[in-house]
PDB file of all heavy atoms in Angstrom:
ATOM      1  N   ALA Y1356     -13.399 -20.092  25.810  1.00 84.00           N
ATOM      2  CA  ALA Y1356     -12.819 -18.789  26.136  1.00 84.00           C
ATOM      3  C   ALA Y1356     -11.322 -18.888  26.416  1.00 84.00           C
ATOM      4  O   ALA Y1356     -10.559 -17.986  26.054  1.00 84.00           O
ATOM      5  CB  ALA Y1356     -13.535 -18.175  27.327  1.00 84.00           C
ATOM      6  N   CYS Y1359      -9.897 -21.682  22.400  1.00 88.00           N
ATOM      7  CA  CYS Y1359     -10.090 -21.144  21.040  1.00 88.00           C
ATOM      8  C   CYS Y1359      -9.833 -19.642  20.982  1.00 88.00           C
ATOM      9  O   CYS Y1359      -9.055 -19.145  20.172  1.00 88.00           O
ATOM     10  CB  CYS Y1359     -11.515 -21.391  20.551  1.00 88.00           C
ATOM     11  SG  CYS Y1359     -12.052 -23.076  20.700  1.00 88.00           S
ATOM     12  N   ASP Y1360     -10.560 -18.927  21.866  1.00 88.00           N
ATOM     13  CA  ASP Y1360     -10.588 -17.473  21.754  1.00 88.00           C
ATOM     14  C   ASP Y1360      -9.234 -16.819  21.989  1.00 88.00           C
ATOM     15  O   ASP Y1360      -8.965 -15.747  21.455  1.00 88.00           O
ATOM     16  CB  ASP Y1360     -11.604 -16.892  22.752  1.00 88.00           C
ATOM     17  CG  ASP Y1360     -13.025 -17.276  22.374  1.00 88.00           C
ATOM     18  OD1 ASP Y1360     -13.196 -17.807  21.260  1.00 88.00           O
ATOM     19  OD2 ASP Y1360     -13.942 -17.061  23.183  1.00 88.00           O
ATOM     20  N   LYS Y1361      -8.391 -17.481  22.783  1.00 87.00           N
ATOM     21  CA  LYS Y1361      -7.097 -16.882  23.120  1.00 87.00           C
ATOM     22  C   LYS Y1361      -6.327 -16.459  21.869  1.00 87.00           C
ATOM     23  O   LYS Y1361      -5.975 -15.301  21.716  1.00 87.00           O
ATOM     24  CB  LYS Y1361      -6.262 -17.875  23.947  1.00 87.00           C
ATOM     25  CG  LYS Y1361      -6.584 -17.839  25.443  1.00 87.00           C
ATOM     26  CD  LYS Y1361      -5.801 -16.731  26.118  1.00 87.00           C
ATOM     27  CE  LYS Y1361      -6.281 -16.446  27.529  1.00 87.00           C
ATOM     28  NZ  LYS Y1361      -5.717 -17.324  28.530  1.00 87.00           N
ATOM     29  N   CYS Y1362      -6.084 -17.424  20.994  1.00 89.00           N
ATOM     30  CA  CYS Y1362      -5.300 -17.123  19.782  1.00 89.00           C
ATOM     31  C   CYS Y1362      -6.140 -16.365  18.752  1.00 89.00           C
ATOM     32  O   CYS Y1362      -5.643 -15.472  18.088  1.00 89.00           O
ATOM     33  CB  CYS Y1362      -4.762 -18.388  19.144  1.00 89.00           C
ATOM     34  SG  CYS Y1362      -3.550 -19.225  20.157  1.00 89.00           S
ATOM     35  N   HIS Y1363      -7.400 -16.756  18.647  1.00 90.00           N
ATOM     36  CA  HIS Y1363      -8.253 -16.099  17.652  1.00 90.00           C
ATOM     37  C   HIS Y1363      -8.342 -14.604  17.919  1.00 90.00           C
ATOM     38  O   HIS Y1363      -8.259 -13.797  16.996  1.00 90.00           O
ATOM     39  CB  HIS Y1363      -9.658 -16.722  17.650  1.00 90.00           C
ATOM     40  CG  HIS Y1363      -9.685 -18.091  17.024  1.00 90.00           C
ATOM     41  ND1 HIS Y1363     -10.676 -19.001  17.273  1.00 90.00           N
ATOM     42  CD2 HIS Y1363      -8.828 -18.692  16.169  1.00 90.00           C
ATOM     43  CE1 HIS Y1363     -10.431 -20.117  16.586  1.00 90.00           C
ATOM     44  NE2 HIS Y1363      -9.314 -19.951  15.905  1.00 90.00           N
ATOM     45  N   ASP Y1364      -8.496 -14.221  19.173  1.00 89.00           N
ATOM     46  CA  ASP Y1364      -8.565 -12.796  19.498  1.00 89.00           C
ATOM     47  C   ASP Y1364      -7.244 -12.113  19.201  1.00 89.00           C
ATOM     48  O   ASP Y1364      -7.209 -11.011  18.653  1.00 89.00           O
ATOM     49  CB  ASP Y1364      -8.925 -12.602  20.985  1.00 89.00           C
ATOM     50  CG  ASP Y1364     -10.393 -12.902  21.229  1.00 89.00           C
ATOM     51  OD1 ASP Y1364     -11.137 -13.023  20.231  1.00 89.00           O
ATOM     52  OD2 ASP Y1364     -10.782 -13.030  22.406  1.00 89.00           O
ATOM     53  N   TYR Y1365      -6.160 -12.777  19.566  1.00 89.00           N
ATOM     54  CA  TYR Y1365      -4.825 -12.203  19.377  1.00 89.00           C
ATOM     55  C   TYR Y1365      -4.558 -11.957  17.895  1.00 89.00           C
ATOM     56  O   TYR Y1365      -4.054 -10.908  17.512  1.00 89.00           O
ATOM     57  CB  TYR Y1365      -3.785 -13.156  19.964  1.00 89.00           C
ATOM     58  CG  TYR Y1365      -2.372 -12.611  19.991  1.00 89.00           C
ATOM     59  CD1 TYR Y1365      -2.042 -11.505  20.771  1.00 89.00           C
ATOM     60  CD2 TYR Y1365      -1.357 -13.220  19.259  1.00 89.00           C
ATOM     61  CE1 TYR Y1365      -0.755 -11.029  20.817  1.00 89.00           C
ATOM     62  CE2 TYR Y1365      -0.061 -12.750  19.295  1.00 89.00           C
ATOM     63  CZ  TYR Y1365       0.242 -11.652  20.074  1.00 89.00           C
ATOM     64  OH  TYR Y1365       1.522 -11.178  20.120  1.00 89.00           O
ATOM     65  N   ALA Y1366      -4.925 -12.939  17.075  1.00 89.00           N
ATOM     66  CA  ALA Y1366      -4.654 -12.824  15.643  1.00 89.00           C
ATOM     67  C   ALA Y1366      -5.812 -12.171  14.889  1.00 89.00           C
ATOM     68  O   ALA Y1366      -5.797 -12.121  13.669  1.00 89.00           O
ATOM     69  CB  ALA Y1366      -4.366 -14.199  15.051  1.00 89.00           C
ATOM     70  N   SER Y1367      -6.795 -11.677  15.630  1.00 89.00           N
ATOM     71  CA  SER Y1367      -7.962 -11.028  15.038  1.00 89.00           C
ATOM     72  C   SER Y1367      -8.649 -11.928  14.006  1.00 89.00           C
ATOM     73  O   SER Y1367      -8.887 -11.546  12.872  1.00 89.00           O
ATOM     74  CB  SER Y1367      -7.551  -9.702  14.388  1.00 89.00           C
ATOM     75  OG  SER Y1367      -8.561  -9.205  13.580  1.00 89.00           O
ATOM     76  N   VAL Y1368      -8.936 -13.147  14.433  1.00 88.00           N
ATOM     77  CA  VAL Y1368      -9.655 -14.073  13.561  1.00 88.00           C
ATOM     78  C   VAL Y1368     -11.028 -14.301  14.173  1.00 88.00           C
ATOM     79  O   VAL Y1368     -11.136 -14.538  15.371  1.00 88.00           O
ATOM     80  CB  VAL Y1368      -8.921 -15.431  13.460  1.00 88.00           C
ATOM     81  CG1 VAL Y1368      -9.690 -16.378  12.575  1.00 88.00           C
ATOM     82  CG2 VAL Y1368      -7.515 -15.231  12.946  1.00 88.00           C
ATOM     83  N   GLU Y1369     -12.057 -14.168  13.341  1.00 86.00           N
ATOM     84  CA  GLU Y1369     -13.396 -14.444  13.850  1.00 86.00           C
ATOM     85  C   GLU Y1369     -14.006 -15.596  13.092  1.00 86.00           C
ATOM     86  O   GLU Y1369     -14.642 -15.412  12.063  1.00 86.00           O
ATOM     87  CB  GLU Y1369     -14.272 -13.192  13.740  1.00 86.00           C
ATOM     88  CG  GLU Y1369     -14.206 -12.357  14.997  1.00 86.00           C
ATOM     89  CD  GLU Y1369     -15.094 -11.140  14.912  1.00 86.00           C
ATOM     90  OE1 GLU Y1369     -16.310 -11.322  14.690  1.00 86.00           O
ATOM     91  OE2 GLU Y1369     -14.564 -10.029  15.038  1.00 86.00           O
TER      92      GLU Y1369
ATOM     93  N   GLU K1399      -2.234  -4.203  19.145  1.00 84.00           N
ATOM     94  CA  GLU K1399      -2.823  -5.058  20.166  1.00 84.00           C
ATOM     95  C   GLU K1399      -3.397  -4.178  21.261  1.00 84.00           C
ATOM     96  O   GLU K1399      -2.645  -3.427  21.863  1.00 84.00           O
ATOM     97  CB  GLU K1399      -1.763  -6.023  20.709  1.00 84.00           C
ATOM     98  CG  GLU K1399      -2.246  -6.973  21.776  1.00 84.00           C
ATOM     99  CD  GLU K1399      -3.338  -7.921  21.302  1.00 84.00           C
ATOM    100  OE1 GLU K1399      -3.296  -8.345  20.136  1.00 84.00           O
ATOM    101  OE2 GLU K1399      -4.239  -8.195  22.094  1.00 84.00           O
ATOM    102  N   PRO K1400      -4.671  -4.189  21.552  1.00 86.00           N
ATOM    103  CA  PRO K1400      -5.715  -4.976  20.895  1.00 86.00           C
ATOM    104  C   PRO K1400      -6.019  -4.472  19.485  1.00 86.00           C
ATOM    105  O   PRO K1400      -5.785  -3.298  19.184  1.00 86.00           O
ATOM    106  CB  PRO K1400      -6.921  -4.743  21.801  1.00 86.00           C
ATOM    107  CG  PRO K1400      -6.652  -3.444  22.475  1.00 86.00           C
ATOM    108  CD  PRO K1400      -5.176  -3.325  22.612  1.00 86.00           C
ATOM    109  N   VAL K1401      -6.544  -5.351  18.657  1.00 90.00           N
ATOM    110  CA  VAL K1401      -6.842  -4.984  17.270  1.00 90.00           C
ATOM    111  C   VAL K1401      -8.084  -4.085  17.245  1.00 90.00           C
ATOM    112  O   VAL K1401      -9.118  -4.450  17.787  1.00 90.00           O
ATOM    113  CB  VAL K1401      -7.090  -6.251  16.434  1.00 90.00           C
ATOM    114  CG1 VAL K1401      -7.388  -5.881  14.996  1.00 90.00           C
ATOM    115  CG2 VAL K1401      -5.886  -7.171  16.494  1.00 90.00           C
ATOM    116  N   LYS K1406     -11.125  -5.109  12.176  1.00 92.00           N
ATOM    117  CA  LYS K1406     -11.923  -6.341  12.171  1.00 92.00           C
ATOM    118  C   LYS K1406     -13.057  -6.241  11.150  1.00 92.00           C
ATOM    119  O   LYS K1406     -13.324  -7.185  10.404  1.00 92.00           O
ATOM    120  CB  LYS K1406     -12.496  -6.604  13.562  1.00 92.00           C
ATOM    121  CG  LYS K1406     -11.427  -6.995  14.548  1.00 92.00           C
ATOM    122  CD  LYS K1406     -12.032  -7.485  15.846  1.00 92.00           C
ATOM    123  CE  LYS K1406     -10.919  -7.927  16.783  1.00 92.00           C
ATOM    124  NZ  LYS K1406     -11.395  -8.296  18.100  1.00 92.00           N
ATOM    125  N   LYS K1483       2.814 -12.846  14.928  1.00 92.00           N
ATOM    126  CA  LYS K1483       2.356 -11.644  15.623  1.00 92.00           C
ATOM    127  C   LYS K1483       3.262 -11.340  16.814  1.00 92.00           C
ATOM    128  O   LYS K1483       3.472 -10.180  17.142  1.00 92.00           O
ATOM    129  CB  LYS K1483       0.908 -11.783  16.076  1.00 92.00           C
ATOM    130  CG  LYS K1483       0.417 -10.499  16.739  1.00 92.00           C
ATOM    131  CD  LYS K1483      -1.042 -10.236  16.628  1.00 92.00           C
ATOM    132  CE  LYS K1483      -1.338  -8.896  17.296  1.00 92.00           C
ATOM    133  NZ  LYS K1483      -2.734  -8.520  17.281  1.00 92.00           N
TER     134      LYS K1483
END
Side-chain angles (χ1 to χ4, degrees):
Chain Y
C1359 309
D1360 293 350
K1361 276 276 168 84
C1362 294
H1363 287 159
D1364 286 348
Y1365 187 65
S1367 167
V1368 179
E1369 269 182 57
Chain K
E1399 180 62 36
V1401 180
K1406 290 190 177 175
K1483 183 151 182 181

